[in-house]
Amino acid sequence: MPPGAPAGRNRWLIPAAAGTAVVVMAGTVWATVSLVGFGGPQPEEVLPGSSIAFGKVDLAIDGAQAIELLEFVERLPAEVTEETGTPDGDMTEFFAEMFVEAFPESSPGQARVEEWIGQRAGFSVWPASGEAEMEEGSGIALAVALAVEDPRKADEDFAEIAAQEDDIFYSVDGDYVVFTYSEAALSDLGAQLDEHGSLADSGLFSEDVAGVPAGSLAVGWADLGAAMGIESFAREFSADLAAEPTDVSGRMTASVRVDGEYLEARMDAFAFEVNEADLSWLAETPGESVAALGDLPDNTVMALGASGLDQALIDAYNSDDIPFFSSSGEQQEFERAFNGMGVSMPEGFGDLLGSSTAFGVTEISLDDFFSGYGSEQLSFQYRAVGGDETVIGDFVESMMADPYATPPGVSSQDGAVVVAQGSSGTGRLADDPVFQQTMQEMDSAIVAGYFDMRQVLTAEEVQSPEEWGALGLALSVTEEGNRTGVELRWAPSAG
């Protein structure tokens, strides 16, 4: 929502927002399976090409995805499936229920709404001025497109709602009812469509969305550069960062989909830059971070791994391309700090990280994780393939807060420098079936993360911790740095 948007105008966004929220609601997990390529009329066909942000959801379950659905449901914890019941391909009732909740006083009732409502919804935000703005000074307008199966009945019911509500203005456009909060905004929507065409006709939008994984339940898109051209957004963005005005450019997509073995949320950024700094310096980094994680002990609870960061950081350091240095003074302070610990920069990146890096925490409880823990409580292993044992050993000693405490052990094993403290398993994480299930097809990731929910959850929080599987995270930079992708997965293990 834009800064300071009136609360009364939020409610009619519920039909669009509810579809996205469904993927985190245990009672409707089955709805995470839908469509292949968003077949049929789409919301972007009735929303303007001048949009700076867009999102859509489609809960019409496609037969081709039913197999993925059933396989995923079999892997869900029993306590979740007890609540969800049998998967149902008809989400009309769900959409109707959300619609009635949005307009409890003026809606014609759920039974009537179910006669005409569809199973798709979308929204669009575009630059606006004057009376078309959501509020004075916001610089934007917004509309929701709701799919309908019976346009005549939808028109009749919206006419009744609009007669009772002072912030509902609508039009019926083919298979969609498009509604917004003011007559001026509705008029501006028509003007935007006349001038810019529909968002579906935008080449830039179509190119970006074409890269969204097939079978996605929900898709979002935003033009970040255009959004930063709106003063209210730029002002709030800088305020959130507690920083001077920031120059941001690029575009992004977001999506949610279900695979037979995991639920995935993904975000991709295209030509993304902040103050003219980008991530192209990571583009040549080999995607071997998942393999780096696999060498950690099999009792690893949470882990972070990377590959090729040593050379990427050295090259970026020498070229002044590392984005977290905003001034030469910061870089000099960074060098002094590491020199004091016996690490020379930029060569020290290679000494400390090696060509492949992984850090894993073992045997930690949920209470320890959220309440904080000291070095004596933390059991971990750090691996740096090709690292310098002497440099790492000196660095570890210099980092010890308590000079009387026993430092972690530092040794060399099969070409890797290993720093270990506490208990470690005797097997490899890579051999764990749930790790394999969670991290599959993440081979291009330059940074990867893993969190084993089975070891953290207890019988006090859930019925069967062993059924909750793991979370996986992957960061990739491809297309010569033009595309950055982040994936977050949940892979349940009940099956």
Side-chain angles (χ1 to χ4, degrees):
M1 294 301 297
R9 290 182 177 175
N10 295 359
R11 60 174 185 176
W12 52 268
L13 297 176
I14 291 176
T20 303
V22 73
V23 301
V24 294
M25 295 169 58
T28 48
V29 169
W30 66 81
T32 55
V33 162
S34 84
L35 49 104
V36 175
F38 289 105
Q42 296 300 313
E44 58 263 40
E45 297 173 16
V46 296
L47 295 170
S50 54
S51 299
I52 60 172
F54 167 81
K56 67 178 177 179
V57 62
D58 188 331
L59 300 185
I61 294 179
D62 184 277
Q65 286 286 11
I67 296 177
E68 300 285 353
L69 163 65
L70 294 175
E71 184 178 344
F72 182 74
V73 168
E74 287 178 354
R75 294 178 181 273
L76 289 172
E79 61 195 284
V80 174
T81 55
E82 288 171 2
E83 297 295 331
T84 61
T86 304
D88 186 348
D90 187 1
M91 290 292 107
T92 299
E93 180 180 351
F94 174 76
F95 264 70
E97 181 180 351
M98 293 299 100
F99 186 85
V100 171
E101 289 182 4
F103 307 105
E105 301 298 329
S106 56
S107 71
Q110 183 168 333
R112 166 70 178 187
V113 173
E114 288 183 17
E115 295 179 8
W116 57 260
I117 200 167
Q119 299 179 49
R120 296 187 180 101
F123 74 91
S124 169
V125 176
W126 67 92
S129 60
E131 295 182 357
E133 293 178 304
M134 286 197 71
E135 69 165 343
E136 185 177 356
S138 67
I140 62 164
L142 187 149
V144 169
L146 183 63
V148 297
E149 299 297 328
D150 190 325
R152 181 186 61 80
K153 290 183 179 179
D155 193 4
E156 292 175 357
D157 287 352
F158 262 91
E160 293 184 11
I161 293 173
Q164 299 180 57
E165 306 284 350
D166 59 6
D167 60 352
I168 296 296
F169 296 83
Y170 78 98
S171 65
V172 179
D173 190 341
D175 297 293
Y176 283 87
V177 171
V178 183
F179 58 104
T180 185
Y181 47 83
S182 72
E183 187 172 359
L186 187 63
S187 176
D188 191 52
L189 172 63
Q192 295 291 322
L193 285 165
D194 290 340
E195 181 178 355
H196 301 282
S198 73
L199 187 58
D201 296 328
S202 168
L204 200 61
F205 168 81
S206 299
E207 181 181 349
D208 292 344
V209 173
V212 170
S216 295
L217 160 74
V219 170
W221 175 86
D223 187 329
L224 303 175
M228 291 300 291
I230 297 175
E231 184 179 352
S232 61
F233 277 92
R235 184 171 57 248
E236 182 160 312
F237 184 83
S238 297
D240 288 343
L241 295 179
E244 295 297 321
T246 305
D247 181 17
V248 177
S249 61
R251 308 170 313 280
M252 64 167 287
T253 60
S255 60
V256 177
R257 73 182 181 98
V258 69
D259 180 272
E261 298 188 340
Y262 54 80
L263 177 67
E264 177 186 271
R266 180 183 177 94
M267 183 185 72
D268 288 274
F270 304 90
F272 178 69
E273 293 185 1
V274 178
N275 293 336
E276 299 183 352
D278 59 22
L279 294 178
S280 59
W281 56 282
L282 289 172
E284 300 301 321
T285 303
E288 299 174 359
S289 60
V290 174
L293 292 181
D295 288 330
L296 290 169
D298 56 0
N299 65 333
T300 298
V301 178
M302 56 183 176
L304 189 68
S307 62
L309 284 186
D310 56 338
Q311 193 58 51
L313 286 167
I314 291 172
D315 293 343
Y317 196 94
N318 290 330
S319 303
D320 295 325
D321 288 336
I322 296 182
F324 51 77
F325 290 139
S326 60
S327 67
S328 59
E330 287 188 1
Q331 182 169 333
Q332 292 171 0
E333 182 62 29
F334 176 83
E335 290 179 354
R336 282 194 294 268
F338 276 85
N339 286 339
M341 293 182 284
V343 182
S344 299
M345 287 296 168
E347 295 80 6
F349 288 123
D351 296 332
L352 294 174
L353 299 175
S355 59
S356 178
T357 316
F359 175 81
V361 176
T362 58
E363 294 189 357
I364 183 172
S365 70
L366 193 62
D367 289 338
D368 290 336
F369 179 70
F370 287 110
S371 64
Y373 41 80
S375 60
E376 292 302 318
Q377 294 175 283
L378 183 63
S379 178
F380 71 88
Q381 184 176 116
Y382 172 82
R383 301 179 60 87
V385 176
D388 188 303
E389 182 178 352
T390 301
V391 172
I392 292 176
D394 292 343
F395 180 79
V396 168
E397 287 189 9
S398 68
M399 293 294 291
M400 292 294 295
D402 182 356
Y404 300 103
T406 303
V410 180
S411 62
S412 292
Q413 301 176 11
D414 300 326
V417 178
V418 179
V419 182
Q421 178 172 274
S423 175
S424 294
T426 57
R428 296 174 65 247
L429 186 58
D431 297 328
D432 181 0
V434 172
F435 176 82
Q436 298 170 5
Q437 173 190 345
T438 307
M439 308 304 293
Q440 61 182 293
E441 299 176 0
M442 286 182 167
D443 296 336
S444 64
I446 60 174
V447 176
Y450 179 74
F451 187 86
D452 192 337
M453 299 178 70
R454 300 168 300 171
Q455 297 190 62
V456 175
L457 295 174
T458 68
E460 296 178 355
E461 287 101 25
V462 297
Q463 292 177 11
S464 304
E466 71 278 3
E467 296 183 346
W468 285 82
L471 301 176
L473 175 70
L475 167 69
S476 60
V477 179
T478 57
E479 299 178 11
E480 299 181 348
N482 188 61
R483 179 171 181 167
T484 302
V486 179
E487 298 174 65
L488 177 63
R489 292 177 178 175
W490 173 40
S493 53

